[in-house]
Amino acid sequence: MKIGLIDIDGHHFPNLPLMKLSAWHKRQGDTVEWYQPMFSGHMDRVYMSKVFSFTTDYTDCINADEIIKCGSGYCIDLVDGKEIYYAKRDSLLPAEIEHIYPDYSLYPELTIDTAFGFLTRGCPRGCEFCHVAAKEGRCSNKVANLREFWDGQGKIMLCDPNTFACRDWEDILGQLIESRAIIDFTQGIDVRLATPERIEMLNRMRIRRMHLAWDQPDQDLTEDFKRFSECYSRKSETRKVVYVLVNFNSTIEQDLYRIYTLRDLRFDPYVMIYDKKHAAQIYRDMQRWVNNRIIWRSCKRFEDYIA
């Protein structure tokens, strides 16, 4: 079979389902390539995948016997300013494809000495702005061992939604420690579950950029971040980045409280705008003030930045 692949979101971050589909088809003896309307010719099957709902869909003509669309991006609609996930539209990869070693050759530049994958799925939080609970359930479960997608690469990009919430957290963190690779928890660590025991295991990892999150404006996590800062011993080696969601059930005052508190605790906030396409200009200004580190370090107050 001739198999074509289309990464709707672009080639900025590896699309794991496409990498797994590619690996499985190649194992069956099929030919796999990125689909190009002008050059690919007729294909037996083309997979189109996207993660983000706001990504414009593919509009070019596709010459194929079968076209399969997959990914969360095809299962989310914006209704009255809120993203709604429709599980009935979604489809999971068969187990033999889900648990195959990914075809990293699809993204040679993005995966240089770097592995990508999930060790857990699901999250107990059920945040309104997040689709993980609806898609994967409200229990964090271990779904793989590290060797499923890692084969000695120097960096590991872990895509888990809430690793610390998994009952097997000690086994999972132990595997990451033993790898001696540089670890990036790309979706952020749940600081509310960052007990001294869990942080002690983080202290034994090689981490250059720690990702955490403070998305809920009605939850004051000041003491949690203080505890993390006190227990995490590799401060000089690690940049501690905290995702801060704005434009979703919060006021500007609540947004600035989180941002200023994180600055005082020596964390680097990183502003994420919900429904950025329709967001007010003040949120774009806030995001540029915080996320542009040159501006962030030279201008201490948002009020001074927009004055």
Side-chain angles (χ1 to χ4, degrees):
M1 292 180 66
K2 288 186 64 179
I3 303 298
L5 306 175
I6 302 176
D7 182 346
I8 305 298
D9 298 306
H11 294 239
H12 308 297
F13 194 89
N15 186 297
L16 271 171
L18 291 182
M19 288 197 291
K20 292 179 180 182
L21 286 164
S22 176
W24 187 85
H25 276 286
K26 287 181 178 179
R27 187 174 290 182
Q28 312 312 306
D30 301 331
T31 60
V32 181
E33 64 180 65
W34 291 115
Y35 183 75
Q36 302 179 71
M38 296 289 291
F39 306 104
S40 292
H42 177 267
M43 312 297 286
D44 294 295
R45 182 183 298 165
V46 170
Y47 293 99
M48 305 169 61
S49 179
K50 71 171 182 173
V51 176
F52 304 107
S53 60
F54 53 77
T55 304
T56 302
D57 205 0
Y58 192 83
T59 56
D60 290 341
C61 181
I62 300 175
N63 182 6
D65 291 336
E66 184 180 15
I67 300 172
I68 298 177
K69 294 184 177 183
C70 52
S72 299
Y74 285 116
C75 309
I76 299 170
D77 290 340
L78 192 67
V79 180
D80 296 328
K82 183 179 180 180
E83 289 187 346
I84 305 296
Y85 168 80
Y86 295 93
K88 291 183 178 179
R89 293 189 203 165
D90 213 345
S91 57
L92 301 178
L93 293 174
E96 65 270 21
I97 301 179
E98 175 64 35
H99 296 286
I100 201 170
Y101 187 81
D103 180 7
Y104 288 111
S105 69
L106 289 183
Y107 300 90
E109 295 183 359
L110 296 177
T111 62
I112 296 174
D113 198 29
T114 306
F116 293 77
F118 290 84
L119 293 176
T120 69
R121 295 277 192 173
C123 177
R125 297 299 180 186
C127 300
E128 290 184 67
F129 56 82
C130 179
H131 309 299
V132 170
K135 182 180 176 68
E136 302 175 2
R138 293 194 64 168
C139 181
S140 177
N141 293 303
K142 180 183 175 185
V143 295
N145 286 310
L146 186 57
R147 279 292 180 180
E148 184 169 294
F149 59 86
W150 173 77
D151 190 26
Q153 292 93 327
K155 301 176 184 177
I156 296 172
M157 305 291 282
L158 197 63
C159 304
D160 297 26
N162 197 332
T163 309
F164 277 13
C166 181
R167 69 182 67 184
D168 299 307
W169 63 269
E170 193 168 7
D171 171 46
I172 292 168
L173 298 184
Q175 291 185 46
L176 296 172
I177 292 169
E178 291 177 7
S179 74
R180 299 301 300 157
I182 297 171
I183 311 299
D184 191 335
F185 294 85
T186 63
Q187 300 305 305
I189 286 172
D190 190 338
V191 72
R192 292 160 291 189
L193 299 177
T195 61
E197 294 78 15
R198 289 175 171 84
I199 299 174
E200 189 279 327
M201 295 192 77
L202 293 180
N203 288 334
R204 295 159 58 193
M205 293 182 199
R206 301 173 65 200
I207 300 176
R208 290 182 180 169
R209 181 179 298 176
M210 180 72 70
H211 288 107
L212 304 104
W214 190 352
D215 293 321
Q216 301 285 15
D218 58 340
Q219 297 179 5
D220 192 339
L221 305 184
T222 303
E223 294 304 316
D224 297 285
F225 281 102
K226 283 182 179 179
R227 181 183 65 249
F228 188 93
S229 187
E230 291 168 357
C231 295
Y232 188 66
S233 65
R234 307 186 72 166
K235 301 179 182 66
S236 61
E237 306 170 29
T238 309
R239 181 184 168 198
K240 302 190 295 299
V241 178
V242 182
Y243 300 128
V244 178
L245 184 70
V246 302
N247 195 39
F248 188 90
N249 293 350
S250 66
T251 65
I252 296 297
E253 291 73 23
Q254 289 174 317
D255 298 336
L256 291 177
Y257 173 78
R258 287 177 287 162
I259 291 169
Y260 289 145
T261 300
L262 289 168
R263 182 198 281 276
D264 291 341
L265 295 175
R266 304 183 69 81
F267 289 88
D268 287 335
Y270 187 87
V271 169
M272 310 282 286
I273 304 176
Y274 187 85
D275 188 18
K276 185 174 181 178
K277 181 179 179 180
H278 302 102
Q281 183 61 42
I282 192 169
Y283 293 109
R284 300 170 186 272
D285 293 338
M286 182 184 295
Q287 185 180 61
R288 186 170 186 271
W289 166 63
V290 173
N291 297 359
N292 185 315
R293 294 306 166 184
I294 295 176
I295 299 174
W296 170 250
R297 294 188 181 95
S298 61
C299 183
K300 302 298 184 183
R301 305 284 297 178
F302 182 55
E303 294 82 354
D304 296 332
Y305 175 68
I306 61 174

